[in-house]
Amino acid sequence: MQYYKKLLLFFPLILIFSNAPFIDKNQLYIIVRARTIKWYIGQMCYISIASALYFVFVMIFSIILNIDCIEFTDEWGKVLNTLANTNIGTQFHIEFSPDRNVLNMFSPLQAMWFTFFHSWVSGVILGLVTFLFNMKIKGSGTFLASFLLVLSAVASKQISLVKISPISWSTLNYIQLKPNDGLPSYEYISIFYVVMLVLLFLVILFSSKNYNFDKELKK
């Protein structure tokens, strides 16, 4: 995926979460009834569900837009295999160039679901980062989430940065598909995702004890 397309794909999600931690005067009654911890857990569940729904919408909308020129099959087809295994794309100045290793390792359906899952987790990470740091300084979380998104664009040109760029992993050709290609393995990515999500979850819950709701509601 070209870097600017990833920016366009994830930036609307950052805008959706930019108002985190989603506190207004109406939320005060919910916080009183549900208690603070339950409210925070509910907000984090909202981020997870919103991220999933966003990428479901992107997936369905992509299919609808291309419905007249796609075929429902479990094979990649001659065109993509030709582009991946020859230099014909360069000869005809075709910007899109599928990765040969992705085509060999995944079926179209597998690639779609792996991409969806990684995009969803990336979206949750962006949302939780926004949530956590906006609790400290309003707007700082949105800035940091935007930084992580820009880092993925930089990492597309500087492969050594891919290992510290979780948003990059939503694209399958930035995951190790052959030995010694310098990219993070699926085990590394899985551990990183779990550790980062658990850490963000726990830090948000810990920070909630010292969060000043009154100050936020007076704004």
Side-chain angles (χ1 to χ4, degrees), residues 15 37 47 76 128 170 176 192 198 202:
L15 292 180
I37 297 297
I47 288 174
W76 289 105
L128 293 180
S170 59
Q176 186 183 67
F192 191 103
V198 171
L202 293 177

Side-chain angles (χ1 to χ4, degrees), residues 27-40:
Q27 292 291 324
L28 179 61
Y29 301 102
I30 300 175
I31 294 168
V32 171
R33 291 176 66 88
R35 297 187 179 182
T36 305
I37 297 297
K38 290 183 180 179
W39 182 83
Y40 271 94

Side-chain angles (χ1 to χ4, degrees), residues 106-162:
F106 299 95
S107 69
L109 191 61
Q110 288 173 332
M112 182 181 72
W113 287 115
F114 268 86
T115 301
F116 170 80
F117 176 75
H118 284 260
S119 297
W120 170 60
V121 176
S122 297
V124 173
I125 289 173
L126 290 175
L128 293 180
V129 166
T130 303
F131 190 100
L132 174 61
F133 286 90
N134 275 1
M135 288 170 60
K136 306 298 182 183
I137 303 175
K138 192 65 175 178
S140 62
T142 305
F143 174 81
L144 186 55
S146 300
F147 171 79
L148 291 175
L149 182 56
V150 172
L151 177 63
S152 71
V154 176
S156 67
K157 303 294 183 181
Q158 188 68 38
I159 298 300
S160 60
L161 296 176
V162 172

Side-chain angles (χ1 to χ4, degrees), residues 6-17:
K6 181 168 288 189
L7 294 176
L8 291 174
L9 179 63
F10 278 91
F11 188 68
L13 195 60
I14 292 178
L15 292 180
I16 292 172
F17 297 142

Side-chain angles (χ1 to χ4, degrees), residues 9-78:
L9 179 63
F10 278 91
F11 188 68
L13 195 60
I14 292 178
L15 292 180
I16 292 172
F17 297 142
S18 63
N19 198 38
F22 316 114
I23 295 176
D24 56 35
K25 292 181 179 180
N26 295 325
Q27 292 291 324
L28 179 61
Y29 301 102
I30 300 175
I31 294 168
V32 171
R33 291 176 66 88
R35 297 187 179 182
T36 305
I37 297 297
K38 290 183 180 179
W39 182 83
Y40 271 94
I41 293 174
Q43 297 299 84
M44 288 186 279
C45 288
Y46 162 75
I47 288 174
S48 299
I49 294 170
S51 178
L53 291 176
Y54 175 79
F55 287 107
V56 166
F57 170 79
V58 169
M59 183 171 61
I60 294 174
F61 193 66
S62 300
I63 293 173
I64 293 173
L65 283 180
N66 297 282
I67 195 69
D68 60 335
C69 57
I70 62 176
E71 179 183 352
F72 292 94
T73 177
D74 201 36
E75 298 179 355
W76 289 105
K78 293 182 179 179

